Amino acid sequence: MSASRSYLDWNATAPLLPAAREACCRALDTLGNPSSIHAEGRAARAIVEDARAAVAALVGGEAENVVFTSGATEAANALITQGLAGCCGRDLPRGLPVLVGATEHAAVLAAAGEAERLPVDANGLIRQDILEQRLKAIGPALVAIQLANNETGVVQDIASLARLVHAHGGAIVVDAVQGPGRIALDIAALGADALMLSAHKFGGPKGVGAIVFADSRTRLASAAILGGGQERGQRGGTENVPGIAGMGAAARAVKAEFDAHTLNQLRDGFENRLKALAPDVRIAGEGVARLPNTTLFAIPGITAEKALIAFDLAGVAVSSGSACSSGKVKASHVLEAMGAADGVKAGAIRLSLGRTTVAHEIDQALDVIERLVARRVARNSASDDTFAASAA
Ligand code: PLP
């Protein structure tokens, strides 16, 4: 990061790790096709298999259960539209009803189409009572629930959700994209049947990701991409060797250097100072388990649009908790599902920190907030303050 800019948007994408860049570059210069049996092919294959072992180790899984994809969006599409076979040692019926969390990423929501959305409470946690009711009514289902939300950082109790889904004969696939580099991951402890991962969220290159199955009997009910039978026949196409190499190197690095404590201290320090500057600030999911690096907040009377411009002009990269497309800011479906007040939806700003975040970057963000709050006080505009009681 240049000295003048602070990058506080790691949940959007994390900076490329030096080890990942080196691995990508080395792989770019590796000639062979991993499917070729000659020495050049075997060299490329070795790179892919080494990365597979590293990605498996990142989540406590087995290398043979990793399927590389073009990212988590492809992983979600494959898992949800194709479904699972051989899951939990038995064949699940095809065409199971699909249930997805209401606060899932667009990758999962879009793949699930018209499938039923599971409501969340005011903190963003899945309503387990409602999941149980639905499973009792419909029987085995394919359930997709994220480990942690990219906007709020709220962490779901996957182990307990998985027990519920399995007790009703179904399967659970988990978008674990925001986990690596933020919290430790263990696929067996989570009880998930499959995880979705994305390299660029933890220091790997963009455009590569993986599905990790919990056991070697589980696979996609049909191939994500038909082709030459690569990836145990589940995802055809010559492997993205440089991308996969970068993902493997990033997986190894974040597993080795993982430091949630520092992230947590920085984030909590930020939130404490934020509350001192604006005691009326609302922080989404504050009362429940969250990723140590994420904070989504709204200050009454300060809209996300205004704030984002102020942050960017001051050299601080953050996101709003709203989707921004073609220049229009749209309220976040996550905050909507949490029942947040209109003012919270209109004002939500996300800071997400990472391995190289330093106190100075937090100071820079707080300076911007201090100026925004001062302007708000000067304006003293009651009409701009659209806050009602917040559900966040
Ligand atoms: N799931 C979550 C929680 C995400 O944050 C993202 C990225 O924005 C995705 C899925 C999609 O990942 P990818 O960029 O690899 O398609």
Side-chain angles (χ1 to χ4, degrees), residues 67-69 74-87 91-96 142 211 213 217-227 229-236:
V67 175
F68 286 113
T69 63
E74 184 188 319
N77 275 262
L79 287 164
I80 294 167
T81 63
Q82 309 301 330
L84 301 181
C87 187
D91 265 323
L92 287 173
R94 298 223 43 176
L96 280 182
L142 178 63
I211 299 171
F213 292 109
R217 293 164 297 182
T218 308
R219 48 190 295 117
L220 292 170
S222 46
I225 297 181
L226 294 169
Q230 289 88 347
E231 298 297 287
R232 292 199 291 150
Q234 299 189 79
R235 203 268 183 185

Side-chain angles (χ1 to χ4, degrees), residues 64-335:
E64 62 178 327
N65 301 335
V66 174
V67 175
F68 286 113
T69 63
S70 66
T73 300
E74 184 188 319
N77 275 262
L79 287 164
I80 294 167
T81 63
Q82 309 301 330
L84 301 181
C87 187
C88 330
R90 66 194 156 78
D91 265 323
L92 287 173
R94 298 223 43 176
L96 280 182
V98 173
L99 300 176
V100 297
T103 56
E104 296 300 304
H105 187 270
V108 167
L109 290 177
E114 297 299 303
E116 196 174 325
R117 309 283 195 259
L118 293 165
V120 295
D121 65 17
N123 283 311
L125 291 172
I126 293 284
R127 290 276 309 270
Q128 293 207 24
D129 54 333
I130 294 186
L131 173 61
E132 188 165 18
Q133 258 174 34
R134 296 303 300 136
L135 292 172
K136 275 184 183 151
I138 62 180
L142 178 63
V143 178
I145 294 175
Q146 63 198 176
L147 174 63
N149 186 266
N150 46 302
E151 292 182 23
T152 61
V154 167
V155 176
Q156 301 290 344
D157 182 356
I158 296 294
S160 129
L161 293 161
R163 275 194 295 276
L164 199 52
V165 171
H166 290 150
H168 289 84
I172 180 165
V173 297
V174 173
D175 172 352
V177 164
Q178 294 293 344
R182 295 126 171 102
I183 50 176
L185 284 174
D186 183 287
I187 190 168
L190 289 171
D193 295 299
L195 300 181
M196 312 159 206
L197 298 174
S198 176
H200 73 101
K201 304 290 182 173
F202 61 90
K206 299 173 184 77
V208 58
I211 299 171
V212 185
F213 292 109
D215 93 39
S216 60
R217 293 164 297 182
T218 308
R219 48 190 295 117
L220 292 170
S222 46
I225 297 181
L226 294 169
Q230 289 88 347
E231 298 297 287
R232 292 199 291 150
Q234 299 189 79
R235 203 268 183 185
T238 300
E239 297 86 341
N240 169 9
V241 181
I244 290 170
M247 183 173 189
R252 219 161 248 142
V254 293
K255 191 164 167 69
E257 295 168 20
F258 178 64
D259 181 8
H261 180 66
T262 304
L263 280 177
N264 212 4
Q265 273 187 327
L266 278 170
R267 195 273 311 273
D268 287 356
F270 167 79
E271 287 186 352
N272 289 337
R273 289 167 66 193
L274 174 65
K275 285 184 216 163
L277 284 175
D280 51 353
V281 68
R282 308 292 163 84
I283 297 175
E286 198 184 0
V288 296
R290 280 182 297 154
L291 295 174
N293 76 321
T294 307
T295 180
L296 182 75
F297 65 90
I299 301 173
I302 299 175
T303 63
E305 263 160 327
K306 273 186 222 159
L308 281 182
I309 295 168
F311 276 111
D312 195 39
L313 287 175
V316 184
V318 299
S319 276
S320 71
S322 324
C324 192
S325 60
S326 43
K328 294 212 161 85
V329 174
K330 185 160 91 62
S332 145
H333 71 283
V334 174
L335 291 173

